[in-house]
Amino acid sequence: MGRYVIRRLLQMIPVFFGATLLIFLMVNVMGDPIAGLCGDKACDPATAARLKQEFGLDKPVWQQYATYMGNVFTGDFGTAFNGQEVTELMSTAFPVTIRLTIIAILFEIVIGITLGVVTGLRRGRPIDTAVLILTLVVIAIPTFVTGLVLQLLLGVEWKWIKPSVTPDAPFDELLIPGLVLASVSLAYVTRLTRTSIAENSRADYVRTAVAKGLPRRRVITRHLLRNSLIPVVTFIGTDVGALMGGAIVTERIFNIHGVGFQLYQGILRQSTQTVVGFVTVLVLVFLVANLVVDLLYAVLDPRIRYA
Amino acid sequence: MRGATHAKWTACAVVVALAATACGGGDSGGGSGASGIVSSSWGDPQNPLEPANTNEVQGGKVLDMLFRGLKRYDSKTGEAKDMLAEKIETTDSTTFNVTVKDGWTFSNGEKVTAKSFVDAWNYGASLKNNQKNAYFFGYIEGYDKTHPDKGEPSAETLSGLKVTGERTFTVKLNQKFSTWPDTLGYNAFAPLPRAFFDNHAAWLSKPVGNGPYTVNSYSKGSKLEMRKWDGYPGPDKAQNGGVDLKVYTDNNTAYTDLTAGNLDLVDDVPASQLKNVKADLGDRYINTPAGIIQTLAFPYYDEAWNTPGAVKVRKGLSMAINRAQITDTIFQKTRTPATDWTSPVLGADGGYKAGLCGDACKYDPAGAKKLIEEGGGIPGGQVKISYNADTGSHKEWVDAICNSVNNALGNDRACVGNPVGTFADFRSQITQSKMSGPFRAGWQMDYPLIQNFLQPLYYTNASSNDGKWTNAEFDKLVNEANAETDKAKAVDLFQKAEEVLRDQMGAIPLWYQNGSAGYSTRVSNVALNPFSVPVYNEIKVS
């Protein structure tokens, strides 16, 4: 087990370098970022040249990448064009997005799995049909529609919440945005859980557990649910990364200054340092989340072993 | 207990994950709810907040609250009036003697002296400091030494600036420029306190100026709190307790916040809400002219657009555009069809001349078709209008223009839009002279002078002459106008230059842009100045 974890951690290294290099090249082919800094006026050539030098943009791309990676390992992610350190941007953006992601994941786990178990055990009953239709509707409606409608109804019409989140973004203000962000995944979690439960409820070990005379509650939580969670955990694990990087729509609607917003601005302004820095961290999140998912398999199903 | 071991390793991995991603908590705090505070929408400034480094509206509005310069533009008429300047005198339009008023201080108590200005201007002009507005000091003698086009600067300071007393200094220009004092209301010419030079980083995180407001707290990228400075010596004291500028990820969200009563002022009503704005806000919606004009520029470095016949093609294209229809339907009358190359905010005395463009700016599809055919047809058979697709909903109006042109020519492939992904890429293609057809050009005035609408854009090799248009007659008239000490005569000469621009159709004027803003019932006396920035210090809170 320990060797497996170490091997997986070592495998992350090439993935990490490959991913960052790709992002670096992608941002680089977009053209000269300095040109956009002066607005509708042209930068004067002397200042533009000095700015390029300051941001290291006058060197060949491979050299920029080497310097950049060298700096990253000393914790220096460079400077964004507005003069802020990228680490400073991260320290304001990541806590907000992490809070938002935690809320979204909790919604997925609590509501999604509960609904999945309930419907999986009551296939074909009205509640099952109702939830299936509901999830279909949620999946079919794009996030920005859900977000804008909820914002308008709860924020403007009924005044239950403030339509925009304050810069501090405490947990309670992020509840509705978190629900919006989670909505589509939540529907998928429900469906995945339902199918998995429905399938496993006919399995031998469930019949054995029932035959042993175990209480229904214990059969469901310890035997049925635990084995049924493997596909769900896989989904939620990959969703962590997707939620953190892909929250841009939700963040825009609710005025959340998180990772999605910073990435969006970084791309608009072609700030290589910002984009590569944030994506580097997101790549790490993805990799670690995947590792955790793989390790959780063994916790859920003791038959799975790692060598 | 294999299960327990698995769980342990999983827990370890989670710890590693959290350690790798969590970067400490945010610093919260900041007392809101103080009385008389106006909350206003804001966009994240693109550059650090320094007077000579801020060239866009978002940073500019902060400097406007924090600083007062020698001159200030009247919030209604745009006229340059003395602020810190007691007098600015010249006999030859080249050397100016400046006297700074007594009794002004920065909010940290330091006196504003002649040196505060000279130091600030030298800082702004020096190539070493990478200031994006450095070219504003280009008229001052010695600029080419402190800011050479190539190589290292050979001087630290501008030779044309000399401190002659505590409150007096002289400025020597490298050319005659009679209306130069009127440019001094621009933020780049603001004075700077010693603190700026002594501890630059600290100053940037909490700027100190000499305007009616002081910075209470500034968390970059999210919120800037300004408070009224009680010791402000100027005549335009703040009428409110302060202004909170809040960064919005999207101006639609800001607008929603305004309608929900969560925000007092939005100075950029999103295009998609223009239909509802009257119903939502009624009288609390402002739509007033601003010093902004939109044009289509042409790449004169491309041979095909630089032929004698191309003049007729450009005029024809201009006539093929149905400006009135586009400003009505797409912009809901927040823009006005342009009939010259300046802006109505200049006023007739300042050089705005309605109808100067003449027939070339009137919609005439039949005439357009005839002219374009006479001129040898569209180069390459198709006009591609380039624009950046990321902001400003430019796609709608470019498509509308093309539609209008195609209808006039009876050819649905005559004009197409050519979107460029990001603004930065769009600008870099322009600066590298890579445009193959007309492209979107916008000009927001720096100071309300007709000179600012003509010289930077159309003078040979001027800083923002993106299409590389060049005309000896135009250049000559601009030089004469700058040398003319009588303002009325200078304006007349500038208009003659503008007529040259018209006869050659150097760029197609499209429309003048209005500033549009909305505000809550909590505040009153809200107005936009000619730069489309709210006049914050006059806003009253009930």
Side-chain angles (χ1 to χ4, degrees):
Chain A
M1 179 78 177
R3 285 179 56 168
Y4 174 79
V5 171
I6 289 164
R7 209 171 67 221
R8 281 292 301 265
L9 286 172
L10 287 176
Q11 278 172 2
M12 285 185 188
I13 294 169
V15 177
F16 176 73
F17 278 104
T20 47
L21 180 64
L22 266 180
I23 293 296
F24 207 87
L25 292 177
M26 278 194 233
V27 180
N28 249 286
V29 296
M30 284 163 72
D32 174 18
I34 299 295
L37 277 185
C38 295
D40 272 323
K41 295 156 197 172
C43 291
D44 76 275
T47 309
R50 282 194 64 104
L51 284 170
K52 271 190 193 166
Q53 207 179 358
E54 188 184 315
F55 292 108
L57 295 166
D58 53 341
K59 300 200 181 72
V61 177
W62 65 266
Q63 211 173 329
Q64 286 181 40
Y65 180 70
T67 323
Y68 181 80
M69 285 322 271
N71 287 340
V72 164
F73 282 103
T74 60
D76 174 13
F77 280 87
T79 312
F81 288 145
N82 66 354
Q84 272 181 284
E85 298 274 313
V86 175
T87 44
E88 193 186 324
L89 290 177
M90 287 181 185
S91 70
T92 55
F94 269 103
V96 174
T97 298
I98 288 173
R99 278 200 287 277
L100 186 64
T101 312
I102 290 174
I103 291 171
I105 296 284
L106 283 180
F107 271 121
E108 283 179 27
I109 292 175
V110 176
I111 302 182
I113 295 182
T114 314
L115 282 180
V117 172
V118 171
T119 51
L121 293 174
R122 289 180 178 74
R123 266 161 300 139
R125 308 265 188 85
I127 176 124
D128 181 32
T129 322
V131 169
L132 272 183
I133 292 173
L134 197 70
T135 53
L136 197 68
V137 170
V138 169
I139 293 171
I141 300 177
T143 320
F144 69 89
V145 177
T146 332
L148 284 171
V149 168
L150 279 183
Q151 183 188 42
L152 194 71
L153 287 181
L154 302 180
V156 181
E157 297 293 327
W158 302 334
K159 302 203 189 298
W160 290 357
I161 58 162
K162 285 187 175 177
S164 71
V165 172
T166 53
D168 301 332
F171 271 107
D172 54 334
E173 287 184 16
L174 291 174
L175 279 179
I176 297 297
L179 183 62
V180 170
L181 180 61
S183 58
V184 173
S185 302
L186 196 156
Y188 281 120
V189 168
T190 306
R191 294 195 147 211
L192 270 176
T193 315
R194 175 188 177 272
T195 316
S196 194
I197 291 268
E199 197 177 287
N200 286 336
S201 60
R202 287 194 217 94
D204 292 343
Y205 59 83
V206 174
R207 206 180 316 140
T208 313
V210 175
K212 272 199 292 189
L214 287 178
R216 183 175 158 81
R217 191 184 174 77
R218 193 167 165 81
V219 174
I220 291 171
T221 52
R222 291 294 291 181
H223 297 263
L224 179 55
L225 182 59
R226 195 168 144 173
N227 281 288
S228 305
L229 277 182
I230 286 186
V232 180
V233 163
T234 314
F235 179 80
I236 294 181
T238 48
D239 212 34
V240 172
L243 289 179
M244 290 190 88
I248 171 72
V249 175
T250 317
E251 292 192 354
R252 260 187 90 104
I253 293 174
F254 292 99
N255 193 34
I256 301 166
H257 300 262
V259 171
F261 173 60
Q262 294 294 350
L263 264 177
Y264 178 71
Q265 285 224 321
I267 289 170
L268 279 192
R269 294 177 182 176
Q270 288 191 15
S271 175
T272 320
Q273 314 279 338
T274 316
V275 177
V276 181
F278 275 84
V279 172
T280 304
V281 176
L282 286 178
V283 167
L284 284 174
V285 173
F286 257 107
L287 291 174
V288 174
N290 267 309
L291 175 62
V292 172
V293 166
D294 285 353
L295 296 180
L296 274 177
Y297 288 165
V299 178
L300 293 171
D301 188 347
R303 288 172 299 183
I304 297 174
R305 289 188 199 185
Y306 300 109
Chain B
M1 289 296 285
R2 189 179 287 119
T5 326
H6 289 324
K8 197 180 81 192
W9 276 101
T10 311
C12 284
V14 171
V15 169
V16 172
L18 288 179
T21 52
C23 299
D27 48 330
S28 58
S32 55
S35 69
I37 307 293
V38 181
S39 59
S40 175
S41 69
W42 195 32
D44 194 18
Q46 203 171 3
N47 299 306
L49 285 176
E50 303 168 278
N53 208 9
T54 297
N55 56 2
E56 38 76 57
V57 181
Q58 303 304 340
K61 59 172 95 148
V62 178
L63 296 179
D64 200 49
M65 286 186 258
L66 271 185
F67 284 98
R68 286 293 178 264
L70 289 169
K71 294 261 186 181
R72 180 164 175 78
Y73 302 116
D74 187 275
S75 59
K76 287 195 184 69
T77 62
E79 187 194 343
K81 289 182 173 161
D82 285 345
M83 184 49 91
L84 264 76
E86 194 168 289
K87 53 182 187 251
I88 301 176
E89 292 169 327
T90 181
T91 48
D92 57 358
S93 296
T94 315
T95 308
F96 294 82
N97 294 309
V98 183
T99 309
V100 183
K101 273 184 195 159
D102 201 8
W104 282 77
T105 58
F106 292 99
S107 59
N108 62 3
E110 189 190 323
K111 277 191 88 169
V112 183
T113 62
K115 200 168 177 298
S116 315
F117 284 96
V118 172
D119 287 351
W121 295 5
N122 278 326
Y123 181 88
S126 174
L127 179 56
K128 282 188 189 157
N129 302 318
N130 294 344
Q131 301 286 293
K132 291 171 195 85
N133 283 337
Y135 64 93
F136 274 89
F137 307 98
Y139 296 106
I140 300 173
E141 197 174 77
Y143 178 74
D144 50 343
K145 298 272 190 335
T146 65
H147 199 112
D149 287 341
K150 283 197 182 75
E152 287 298 302
S154 57
E156 290 277 309
T157 53
L158 293 162
S159 59
L161 290 178
K162 283 205 175 60
V163 178
T164 52
E166 202 200 7
R167 292 193 289 119
T168 54
F169 66 103
T170 59
V171 185
K172 190 160 187 283
L173 304 185
N174 50 25
Q175 65 179 86
K176 281 181 186 255
F177 188 177
S178 59
T179 48
W180 179 78
D182 285 357
T183 68
L184 295 176
Y186 190 71
N187 284 326
F189 294 103
L192 285 169
R194 284 311 309 167
F196 177 86
F197 306 97
D198 294 341
N199 191 344
H200 193 221
W203 191 92
L204 280 183
S205 61
K206 200 175 179 185
V208 173
N210 65 332
Y213 292 95
T214 58
V215 174
N216 184 34
S217 76
Y218 180 21
S219 46
K220 281 181 186 162
S222 56
K223 196 177 183 189
L224 175 65
E225 290 183 0
M226 311 248 239
R227 290 296 170 263
K228 180 184 181 176
W229 175 31
D230 290 322
Y232 176 65
D236 52 343
K237 288 185 174 44
Q239 309 281 308
N240 47 52
V243 177
D244 282 357
L245 295 176
K246 296 177 180 174
V247 174
Y248 277 87
T249 48
D250 188 353
N251 58 1
N252 273 299
T253 313
Y255 185 81
T256 310
D257 251 1
L258 175 73
T259 50
N262 211 9
L263 186 73
D264 291 328
L265 176 63
V266 168
D267 62 352
D268 175 23
V269 177
S272 54
Q273 300 286 1
L274 287 173
K275 280 186 202 129
N276 320 328
V277 73
K278 289 249 168 63
D280 287 348
L281 300 174
D283 292 344
R284 291 177 283 115
Y285 168 62
I286 311 172
N287 180 17
T288 49
I292 307 172
I293 183 169
Q294 244 108 43
T295 59
L296 281 185
F298 289 90
Y300 290 97
Y301 41 78
D302 183 343
E303 286 302 315
W305 285 104
N306 209 359
T307 61
V311 176
K312 284 188 174 166
V313 177
R314 294 196 292 270
K315 274 191 189 162
L317 282 175
S318 173
M319 286 161 79
I321 299 168
N322 192 344
R323 294 174 177 77
Q325 192 188 39
I326 296 173
T327 50
D328 277 8
T329 52
I330 294 183
F331 297 118
Q332 305 283 329
K333 297 195 188 215
T334 58
R335 295 181 194 194
T336 316
T339 56
D340 80 340
W341 281 261
T342 65
S343 162
V345 299
L346 293 180
D349 292 342
Y352 167 67
K353 192 169 179 185
L356 184 133
C357 181
D359 287 342
C361 291
K362 290 201 182 99
Y363 179 55
D364 176 8
K369 192 174 182 190
K370 198 167 144 255
L371 260 182
I372 291 176
E373 275 164 10
E374 277 175 29
I378 292 164
Q382 191 177 45
V383 195
K384 278 188 179 171
I385 302 179
S386 300
Y387 60 94
N388 57 308
D390 55 348
T391 52
S393 43
H394 297 304
K395 183 181 171 8
E396 281 88 346
W397 65 259
V398 170
D399 286 350
I401 284 184
C402 276
N403 216 353
S404 191
V405 170
N406 291 344
N407 284 342
L409 298 184
N411 168 6
D412 63 357
R413 301 290 304 154
C415 176
V416 289
N418 175 34
V420 178
T422 64
F423 179 68
D425 195 18
F426 178 65
R427 285 301 313 175
S428 81
Q429 288 189 24
I430 288 173
T431 49
Q432 291 169 34
S433 300
K434 278 188 182 161
M435 288 293 163
S436 59
F439 53 94
R440 170 188 94 75
W443 182 253
Q444 168 143 28
M445 67 178 183
D446 301 312
Y447 32 82
L449 290 179
I450 183 173
Q451 181 266 352
N452 191 239
F453 281 94
L454 298 178
Q455 190 167 4
L457 290 161
Y458 307 111
Y459 193 83
T460 302
N461 288 329
S463 56
S464 291
N465 189 347
D466 290 333
K468 308 276 177 230
W469 188 69
T470 172
N471 185 295
E473 178 70 13
F474 178 89
D475 292 357
K476 193 179 121 244
L477 285 164
V478 166
N479 287 339
E480 280 173 20
N482 277 330
E484 178 58 57
T485 46
D486 183 73
K487 197 179 170 195
K489 282 184 191 158
V491 164
D492 203 45
L493 282 164
F494 274 120
Q495 283 177 341
K496 286 218 171 66
E498 199 181 336
E499 282 163 14
V500 174
L501 178 65
R502 172 195 64 192
D503 295 339
Q504 295 293 314
M505 194 47 86
I508 297 180
L510 295 174
W511 32 72
Y512 313 116
Q513 188 172 325
N514 285 3
S516 70
Y519 55 95
S520 72
T521 48
R522 232 171 60 90
V523 294
S524 59
N525 203 24
V526 184
L528 295 176
N529 68 15
F531 301 89
S532 82
V533 172
V535 189
Y536 286 104
N537 57 300
E538 286 176 10
I539 297 175
K540 292 195 175 88
V541 183
S542 56

